[in-house]
Amino acid sequence: MLTLATTTPGEAEVFASLQGEGPSIGRPSLFVRLSRCNLACQWCDTAYTWRFEGDNRAHRDDLYFARSANQVSVDEAELAARLADYAEDRLVITGGEPLLQGAALARMLAVLRAGKPGLHVEVETNGTVAPHAALDPLIDQYNVSPKLAHSGNPAELALIPERLSAWAADPRAYFKFVIASEDDLTEVEALQRAHDIVAERLFVMPEGTASAALRDRSRWLSAAALERGWRFTDRLHIHLYGDTRGT
């Protein structure tokens, strides 16, 4: 079984939309949002995937979510059959942290790929978890978003050197750093040097869940990316749909 987030109680968060971030921005895609995460970003915009009642990890909104209303278990074959009915040929598996459910994801994708050949599969990950051996060959692209100090996560949990180096050596992996202030750029530069992350696969993205905040940060962040040879990505879905589930 896979544990998914929900759009409304009992309804799994499965939807078609435009990819809003990273190297595939603007592409029509099918999304599956999994529940549970091993990190706790204080600005996380999907805290309903992990900050359940009784979880004392910090979040700036200080909201708690009822687990029963925000999680649903779905059989792997049942989910594969549902996804096969969509026209989109690109699947984005997001979270939460999807790689925590690697074995179940592998079983689901094996069924889905058999009935939907040519499907391009992306996984969004915080970069701390190694892909399950059965899952890794089924993935076309990893969107790796290591969490910087401003996320509130301890570096020993969020920035695991051997994992970052492994992602940097994988040509399927693109790095996407969330940037809140100009101070964060120094941290990205240090990580790039330490792990030999090529600029072509390094994106910086403004933090924010409102268009106005994203635009303000984008002005100086786009210039910083240009100066350093990095790639810049906006958060297209926020501008189009706002900070809402299922978009």
Side-chain angles (χ1 to χ4, degrees), residues 210-224:
S211 283
L214 293 173
R215 291 300 185 212
D216 286 345
R217 288 189 172 119
S218 292
R219 291 187 183 94
W220 55 262
L221 183 55
S222 58

Side-chain angles (χ1 to χ4, degrees), residues 1-2 76-77 80 101-112 132 134-135 138:
M1 300 287 280
L2 281 162
E76 293 101 327
Q101 302 187 57
L105 274 176
R107 292 191 293 269
M108 187 277 289
L109 285 175
V111 175
L112 179 58
H132 189 279
L135 175 67
L138 303 175

Side-chain angles (χ1 to χ4, degrees), residues 127-129 155-165 195:
T128 64
V129 181
E156 60 268 24
L157 297 180
L159 302 172
I160 301 172
E162 58 267 30
R163 287 303 326 137
L164 294 175
S165 292
H195 302 288

Side-chain angles (χ1 to χ4, degrees), residues 117-189:
L119 182 69
H120 180 100
V121 180
E122 300 181 17
V123 170
E124 306 270 358
T125 176
N126 61 32
T128 64
V129 181
H132 189 279
L135 175 67
D136 192 48
L138 303 175
I139 306 304
D140 299 294
Q141 179 176 317
Y142 290 102
N143 302 322
V144 183
S145 184
K147 305 311 178 189
L148 304 177
H150 69 85
S151 71
N153 292 288
E156 60 268 24
L157 297 180
L159 302 172
I160 301 172
E162 58 267 30
R163 287 303 326 137
L164 294 175
S165 292
W167 291 122
D170 189 335
R172 298 171 297 170
Y174 291 82
F175 285 78
K176 182 178 63 181
F177 292 96
V178 176
I179 305 297
S181 74
E182 295 188 50
D183 292 341
D184 301 330
L185 301 175
T186 302
E187 193 174 354
V188 175
E189 289 173 328

Side-chain angles (χ1 to χ4, degrees), residues 18-246:
L18 299 177
Q19 169 62 292
E21 304 171 354
S24 306
I25 191 168
R27 289 182 179 269
S29 303
L30 174 59
F31 289 80
V32 173
R33 186 177 302 281
L34 272 61
S35 189
R36 306 203 327 254
C37 193
N38 60 325
L39 297 182
C41 297
Q42 61 186 1
W43 37 254
C44 178
D45 60 355
T46 58
Y48 61 89
T49 66
W50 60 269
R51 201 169 194 263
F52 304 118
E53 294 165 345
D55 192 325
N56 61 4
R57 293 179 292 176
H59 191 272
R60 65 185 176 193
D61 294 335
D62 202 27
L63 295 175
Y64 292 94
F65 300 88
R67 186 184 296 271
S68 60
N70 290 278
Q71 273 189 350
V72 62
S73 295
V74 181
D75 176 78
E76 293 101 327
E78 177 185 330
L79 179 59
R82 178 174 176 181
L83 298 178
D85 287 338
Y86 283 81
E88 286 74 20
D89 62 0
R90 181 175 295 261
L91 173 64
V92 179
I93 303 170
T94 187
E97 174 48 58
L99 294 182
L100 294 175
Q101 302 187 57
L105 274 176
R107 292 191 293 269
M108 187 277 289
L109 285 175
V111 175
L112 179 58
R113 281 193 174 279
K116 201 175 173 90
L119 182 69
H120 180 100
V121 180
E122 300 181 17
V123 170
E124 306 270 358
T125 176
N126 61 32
T128 64
V129 181
H132 189 279
L135 175 67
D136 192 48
L138 303 175
I139 306 304
D140 299 294
Q141 179 176 317
Y142 290 102
N143 302 322
V144 183
S145 184
K147 305 311 178 189
L148 304 177
H150 69 85
S151 71
N153 292 288
E156 60 268 24
L157 297 180
L159 302 172
I160 301 172
E162 58 267 30
R163 287 303 326 137
L164 294 175
S165 292
W167 291 122
D170 189 335
R172 298 171 297 170
Y174 291 82
F175 285 78
K176 182 178 63 181
F177 292 96
V178 176
I179 305 297
S181 74
E182 295 188 50
D183 292 341
D184 301 330
L185 301 175
T186 302
E187 193 174 354
V188 175
E189 289 173 328
L191 290 169
Q192 182 183 21
R193 288 193 301 270
H195 302 288
D196 295 322
I197 303 171
V198 297
E200 172 63 20
R201 292 192 282 120
L202 192 161
F203 287 78
V204 285
M205 180 180 75
E207 189 274 320
T209 54
S211 283
L214 293 173
R215 291 300 185 212
D216 286 345
R217 288 189 172 119
S218 292
R219 291 187 183 94
W220 55 262
L221 183 55
S222 58
L226 182 62
E227 179 183 347
R228 293 163 175 79
W230 298 340
R231 298 175 70 176
F232 170 86
T233 179
D234 204 345
R235 305 195 74 204
L236 178 63
H237 55 296
I238 297 294
H239 299 300
L240 293 177
Y241 313 113
D243 182 23
T244 55
R245 301 193 196 193

